[in-house]
Amino acid sequence: MAKFFPALDQAEFRSEGEYTLFQALAALDDEFSVIHSLPWLRGRTKRVYSPELQEYLSVSQARNHLSGEIDFVILHAALGMLCVETKSGLYRPLGVRFVHERQGYEVDPLSQVRDNTFVLHEMLKSWQMKCPVGYAVHFPDFDLDSTQIASAYVPLDLPLSDGILILHKHNRDIPSRIKQLMLHWKSALNYGSNDSFRLEIERFLETVWPREVRDGALGRKIVADGELWLRLDDRQANQVALCVGSQGRLIAGFSGSGKTLIARSLAEQFAELNLKVIFLLKNRQITQKVSAQLSHLGRAIVVQTFHSYCESLNPINREVAAGEPNYDDHHKALHGVVDRQYAVMIVDEAQALNEADHLALREHFSNARRFVFADELQVLPGIERGSTYKFLEETYGECFFYLSTVYRNPGGITQTMLEMRQPRHEVTCPRPITGEDLGRKISRDISKTLRLMMASLAKDGVSKQDVIVLGQYSLSLAGIDLPNSTISAYRGMEAPVVIVVAGFEMDDTTLACALGRATTRAYIIVPIELLVGVRGVKSDFLRKLLEKMDRVPIIEQDALEAEPRFIVNRVQRYAGLEGRHQVFGEGFAYASKWRRWVYEGGIRWSSRGVQL
């Protein structure tokens, strides 16, 4: 994701076009920086985004060259700078100018953006620095054919489709259009393909946005990610509309594709039509969250776990639940009973319920519209038997529609999850892939590692409410005041920063489920014991990762510890080795304290003679 100055939570938008472009530019990779509505270039009307920035936004009236305003300045060390003026609404061309279709006023965006680009060029010139500075005009709401574009917008020497305009048709892939324009200007201004402008970009950023006000960047990114990605998009809204017009629908999607968001929006739509809705889930935490989100609709929507709903129909089950409940038997409360209270049944995380559960639901809610949301890759082994897509299709008599776009998870996390658990349908992620999306740490002391991590995250603007620590089993975190949960209990939930504590029994499905909770960043803490006993690690992803690691510095550090973990260091520390010998190329030594011979070779015998 591009770095934004200011971040979304401090930005002020004057038009829908600015907000739309801000969103689209978020898909640029992290090599880009974007300055929105550069206030330091406005001499008469300075905009202050927060009290903390007052000192840095004050511009002296004597610096008269700092006048005007640029909607967006896009920066890249290899491509230079691009100034963008955006005009939302419908316009018709009138030579170089444009006339607003409804209100009739004229605008001259070319002169506007060209003048401000000249200001930036002069600033660089005053520093005796050279850098390509180009410009473009953004019209997000309409298209033009080539005959309607004035020649002033079309470079003569180098062909450029649609000139320097960013039109409605480019909305499908704004990052590609931005790169195309920046490459054009770099070439048109006679810069070489290998020229770098890193110093110029850093100098410019330091001037208009000093490093002192960049602290807490991760905290601001968390806010931006939440606003930009965790909302219903057009394709998801279309699924809600299709569901409202149907008697039932099955929707599948990879982790983070918006299943719960669609399900919740669907429940709201039905409630507005005065239809009573039952919304069923597997886990308590996500049930409580969805219930709170829909509480403004009162009793029109009832949100429960599947098992609590069954218990509400059968007091005997509720009494048994006080001891050790058999969740596999709860569906029996639905047998022979047809519900006539609810017009709509919505089941989210449906893959986590057993086949018997769904068969009972089908008959119990035979009078209702039925909508089922599932991800068969999130059936957790050893905890639940779950249900496959095939079974659900046969049970409800519908074919699944597959959501293909992942919005919740950063690109690097989505890519890692796809490596672990490949879905049967295409999955795309518009969010950029960065090296910071997923971090990994080898730890000798989990509690100490968490304290150090939180200290670092806090400096970057992250609060403990932004973090969840997940483990396959309940975690014992001595002296750590952080929200934590088992992975199975947290399924369906999300948090900006997810820290997963790995274990020997954690498989790829469970690990992927945990990583899929992250909206901004995830970390895997690997206890050093997993590196010591790497062959016993159940997750193929983790095992391969550990096998590729350079063990030498870790083993050397381990040898210095009071209680070494690696066998080789324990032998050196406690065995009292004497007199090493080579037999058929294999090493042996005598452990005087253990009164045993110790084999110091590899894991496998290299020679039959040594075995004999």
Side-chain angles (χ1 to χ4, degrees):
M1 177 178 175
K3 294 179 282 290
F4 282 90
F5 305 97
L8 182 63
D9 58 328
Q10 295 178 337
E12 179 182 316
F13 301 101
R14 295 166 306 147
S15 70
E16 183 67 25
E18 285 189 16
Y19 182 67
T20 299
L21 187 55
F22 193 105
Q23 285 184 292
L25 293 176
L28 289 167
D29 63 51
D30 58 357
E31 293 297 316
F32 286 87
S33 297
V34 178
I35 300 175
H36 166 246
S37 190
L38 191 59
W40 301 269
L41 303 186
R42 302 173 65 188
R44 297 178 183 175
T45 54
K46 297 181 290 296
R47 188 183 306 159
V48 178
Y49 296 97
S50 69
E52 291 78 16
L53 303 183
Q54 275 278 10
E55 178 184 352
Y56 299 101
L57 301 188
S58 58
V59 179
S60 169
Q61 293 291 337
R63 299 169 68 185
N64 54 24
H65 70 286
L66 294 181
S67 60
E69 176 190 7
I70 303 176
D71 287 342
F72 291 92
V73 182
I74 303 169
L75 313 169
H76 190 281
L79 301 175
M81 303 184 185
L82 182 70
C83 303
V84 181
E85 177 70 23
T86 184
K87 299 292 182 185
S88 55
L90 299 176
Y91 293 84
R92 67 176 185 274
L94 182 66
V96 175
R97 293 174 171 268
F98 287 82
V99 180
H100 195 275
E101 290 278 10
R102 191 176 60 190
Q103 299 180 15
Y105 62 82
E106 292 186 12
V107 295
D108 184 2
L110 182 62
S111 296
Q112 205 173 343
V113 71
R114 195 162 49 192
D115 289 348
N116 285 318
T117 301
F118 178 74
V119 171
L120 293 194
H121 176 75
E122 288 297 301
M123 287 177 67
L124 291 169
K125 188 177 178 181
S126 69
W127 299 334
Q128 297 181 333
M129 289 184 169
K130 291 185 176 181
C131 176
V133 184
Y135 52 87
V137 177
H138 176 230
F139 288 114
D141 301 316
F142 64 91
D143 285 319
L144 297 172
D145 60 44
S146 58
T147 60
Q148 295 176 294
I149 301 176
S151 58
Y153 290 91
V154 181
L156 297 178
D157 50 345
L158 295 172
L160 181 64
S161 175
D162 301 310
I164 59 166
L165 299 178
I166 305 172
L167 301 169
H168 176 75
K169 61 184 176 183
H170 299 124
N171 290 346
R172 293 187 297 269
D173 193 355
I174 288 291
S176 293
R177 181 61 174 167
I178 295 298
K179 292 175 185 176
Q180 181 185 27
L181 288 164
M182 295 183 80
L183 283 169
H184 161 78
W185 281 110
K186 183 177 181 180
S187 176
L189 296 172
N190 297 317
Y191 287 90
S193 59
N194 295 324
D195 286 348
S196 174
F197 316 102
R198 190 169 300 279
L199 291 177
E200 288 81 357
I201 298 301
E202 289 178 357
R203 173 78 180 273
F204 180 76
L205 268 177
E206 186 61 33
T207 300
V208 300
W209 201 288
R211 293 189 182 276
E212 290 88 335
V213 296
R214 299 188 210 175
D215 289 343
L218 181 56
R220 291 197 296 270
K221 188 176 187 300
I222 286 171
V223 175
D225 286 344
E227 292 291 331
L228 290 171
W229 303 113
L230 306 184
R231 302 182 304 113
L232 203 67
D233 78 338
D234 291 342
R235 283 174 287 188
Q236 293 169 330
N238 183 52
Q239 286 306 308
V240 174
L242 289 173
C243 288
V244 170
S246 68
Q247 289 299 308
R249 198 164 171 83
L250 306 183
I251 295 179
F254 196 68
S255 176
S257 57
K259 297 183 295 298
T260 303
L261 186 60
I262 294 173
R264 198 178 73 223
S265 300
L266 179 60
E268 292 173 337
Q269 291 287 320
F270 280 125
E272 291 177 4
L273 296 173
N274 295 317
L275 298 176
K276 193 162 185 182
V277 180
I278 179 76
F279 196 129
L280 299 175
L281 303 103
K282 174 75 180 287
N283 294 346
R284 289 191 181 92
Q285 287 197 65
I286 185 63
T287 301
Q288 292 168 357
K289 180 178 179 180
V290 172
S291 180
Q293 291 169 333
L294 296 174
S295 60
H296 64 284
L297 294 169
R299 296 184 179 180
I301 304 174
V302 174
V303 184
Q304 285 186 280
T305 66
F306 168 77
H307 298 100
S308 65
Y309 176 74
C310 293
E311 289 169 9
S312 71
L313 299 181
N314 188 344
I316 296 176
N317 271 347
R318 191 162 58 246
E319 291 172 9
V320 173
E324 290 294 329
N326 182 359
Y327 289 109
D328 289 343
D329 287 342
H330 276 61
H331 65 88
K332 294 177 181 178
L334 307 182
H335 292 181
V337 181
V338 176
D339 175 79
R340 303 187 187 279
Q341 181 181 4
Y342 297 103
V344 178
M345 176 199 79
I346 297 174
V347 183
D348 193 15
E349 302 290 347
Q351 80 284 340
L353 298 179
N354 297 338
E355 294 181 356
D357 298 336
H358 283 289
L359 291 172
L361 283 171
R362 181 188 65 186
E363 302 307 318
H364 182 70
F365 289 108
S366 57
N367 290 331
R369 301 194 203 183
R370 297 173 299 209
F371 301 91
V372 175
F373 297 80
D375 175 10
E376 67 177 2
L377 297 182
Q378 290 195 65
V379 177
L380 301 180
I383 297 177
E384 57 205 10
R385 287 180 300 209
S387 299
T388 64
Y389 290 153
K390 181 180 179 182
F391 173 81
L392 293 172
E393 288 179 336
E394 291 173 351
T395 300
Y396 292 101
E398 298 279 343
C399 291
F400 268 103
F401 173 83
Y402 294 95
L403 299 170
S404 61
T405 307
V406 173
Y407 293 97
R408 180 174 65 206
N409 309 130
I413 294 175
T414 299
Q415 184 184 57
T416 300
M417 292 167 63
L418 288 171
E419 291 174 10
M420 287 189 272
R421 300 291 287 155
Q422 185 64 44
R424 64 176 69 185
H425 58 279
E426 180 185 8
V427 171
T428 60
C429 181
R431 300 183 63 174
I433 296 173
T434 75
E436 297 177 337
D437 291 345
L438 178 60
R440 307 172 185 88
K441 293 181 181 294
I442 300 292
S443 172
R444 294 182 59 87
D445 183 331
I446 301 299
S447 295
K448 181 179 179 181
T449 299
L450 283 171
R451 282 194 292 270
L452 293 173
M453 286 180 67
M454 276 311 302
S456 176
L457 290 170
K459 287 182 180 179
D460 214 1
V462 180
S463 67
K464 69 178 182 181
Q465 287 75 28
D466 294 326
V467 179
I468 183 70
V469 182
L470 298 177
Q472 186 172 11
Y473 309 111
S474 296
L475 296 166
S476 177
L477 304 176
I480 302 296
D481 181 23
L482 278 177
N484 65 88
S485 171
T486 63
I487 295 167
S488 59
Y490 206 72
R491 181 174 50 194
M493 298 286 284
E494 60 195 28
V497 178
V498 170
I499 301 174
V500 185
V501 179
F504 281 105
E505 295 300 314
M506 185 179 291
D507 60 8
D508 282 347
T509 298
T510 307
L511 178 57
C513 181
L515 295 178
R517 307 305 100 212
T519 62
T520 295
R521 192 165 293 179
Y523 299 92
I524 302 173
I525 295 180
V526 181
I528 196 169
E529 285 75 13
L530 270 66
L531 188 59
V532 174
V534 65
R535 286 193 165 194
V537 176
K538 203 167 186 179
S539 165
D540 290 337
F541 173 81
L542 277 179
R543 190 173 60 256
K544 291 174 182 175
L545 179 72
L546 294 174
E547 287 172 348
K548 292 178 182 177
M549 289 185 63
D550 181 5
R551 290 175 164 229
V552 173
I554 299 174
I555 292 175
E556 289 177 350
Q557 178 61 39
D558 180 68
L560 303 176
E561 300 290 339
E563 293 291 334
R565 308 289 178 86
F566 285 87
I567 295 298
V568 63
N569 291 332
R570 289 190 174 192
V571 170
Q572 291 289 344
R573 180 75 59 87
Y574 304 116
L577 293 182
E578 298 176 359
R580 286 181 168 81
H581 302 275
Q582 290 286 324
V583 182
F584 292 103
E586 299 292 344
F588 293 85
Y590 185 69
S592 58
K593 293 181 180 179
W594 297 347
R595 298 183 179 181
R596 296 290 187 274
W597 283 93
V598 176
Y599 169 57
E600 294 186 307
I603 294 174
R604 296 181 179 179
W605 299 95
S606 60
S607 141
R608 181 67 176 169
V610 175
Q611 287 181 289
L612 293 173

